[in-house]
Amino acid sequence: MTHDDAELDSLVRARIRALRMAQGWSLEELAGRAGVSQSTLSRIENGRRRLALDQLVTLARALDTSLDQLVETAPDDVVISPLIDGARGQMRWPVKADPGMTVIRQRITDPPPDNPSRMRAHPGREWLVVLSGTALLMLGHRRFRIETNQAAEFPTMLPHAIGAEGGPCEVLGIFDRDARRGHQRDGTGKDADGGSGDSRT
């Protein structure tokens, strides 16, 4: 067994034990769910039994995960630096596990638009949390006040806009692929619909 193989072997065993303990299960409970003996499971976790593919498939299913996730290697590029858009006051991080998803941190200074025609709608889904200050989310005909450490999640097919209340606020948003496309700018520095980006989600 090579050094890399030994590291992966040790990682998988530790992962099985950690997932079992996270569920609050004893060796006996997981063994019963996986259809293996308690002593076999104990030897798997402690490195005294060879890892067999059929047992890993069974254990992954019992632990409510996939074989791919169970044997996934630890990535080298764990730390990700943001892409900074100074014009919009944004920091953006792509999510490698889901290339269609993007995380954006933005400072918002303007209130939401008064004119409903400036609200936008597009396919997708968005989640955001207010890191500081207070945000106002316009969603259809409704208005939501989101304070520091509160979050909101909504389908972006509803006409929406977000702005600050009583001073600047900072938000962290997670956009799926469709929602991100709906917020991409054209080459003029304006949003796709021609409006200012400061008070939009």
Side-chain angles (χ1 to χ4, degrees):
M1 183 182 291
T2 67
H3 176 70
D4 288 345
D5 289 340
E7 280 193 354
L8 178 59
D9 184 272
S10 176
L11 176 64
V12 171
R13 295 176 192 277
R15 191 171 281 156
I16 290 170
R17 184 173 186 274
L19 289 170
R20 173 177 65 78
M21 295 184 70
Q23 295 281 7
W25 294 340
S26 65
L27 280 168
E28 182 181 6
E29 286 176 297
L30 178 55
R33 291 171 182 270
V36 300
S37 70
Q38 183 176 335
S39 60
T40 294
L41 179 59
S42 178
R43 291 198 298 274
I44 287 174
E45 287 191 4
N46 293 324
R48 296 195 302 269
R49 183 183 177 94
R50 182 179 64 85
L51 293 172
L53 181 59
D54 58 340
Q55 288 179 332
L56 287 179
V57 170
T58 302
L59 285 168
R61 189 178 301 117
L63 289 164
D64 194 26
T65 188
S66 67
L67 179 62
D68 287 347
Q69 289 177 319
L70 193 59
V71 301
E72 183 179 22
T73 56
D76 294 326
D77 50 348
V78 172
V79 179
I80 305 170
S81 296
L83 303 172
I84 299 175
D85 181 349
R88 294 190 74 181
Q90 284 187 350
M91 288 189 284
R92 177 165 51 90
W93 299 263
V95 179
K96 290 179 293 184
D98 183 348
M101 189 171 290
T102 304
V103 179
I104 293 178
R105 180 173 179 169
Q106 183 174 13
R107 185 173 188 266
I108 301 174
T109 57
D110 294 340
D114 294 327
N115 188 345
S117 67
R118 292 185 59 205
M119 296 168 65
R120 60 177 11 180
H122 49 81
R125 195 161 189 90
E126 185 173 334
W127 180 94
L128 63 89
V129 62
V130 176
L131 301 177
S132 65
T134 301
L136 283 177
L137 171 65
M138 311 295 293
L139 197 58
H141 298 295
R142 305 172 70 188
R143 176 188 291 249
F144 297 91
R145 190 170 187 267
I146 312 170
E147 298 183 352
T148 301
N149 295 328
Q150 289 185 320
E153 182 177 1
F154 56 93
T156 51
M157 282 298 286
L158 288 170
H160 60 281
I162 189 168
E165 180 185 68
C169 67
E170 278 198 317
V171 299
L172 189 72
I174 301 176
F175 301 79
D176 69 8
R177 184 189 304 272
D178 290 332
R180 180 62 194 144
R181 283 175 178 167
H183 288 287
Q184 285 177 338
R185 292 182 169 193
D186 61 20
T188 65
K190 298 286 187 180
D191 282 300
D193 63 358
S196 166
D198 287 347
S199 61
R200 303 299 181 88
T201 61

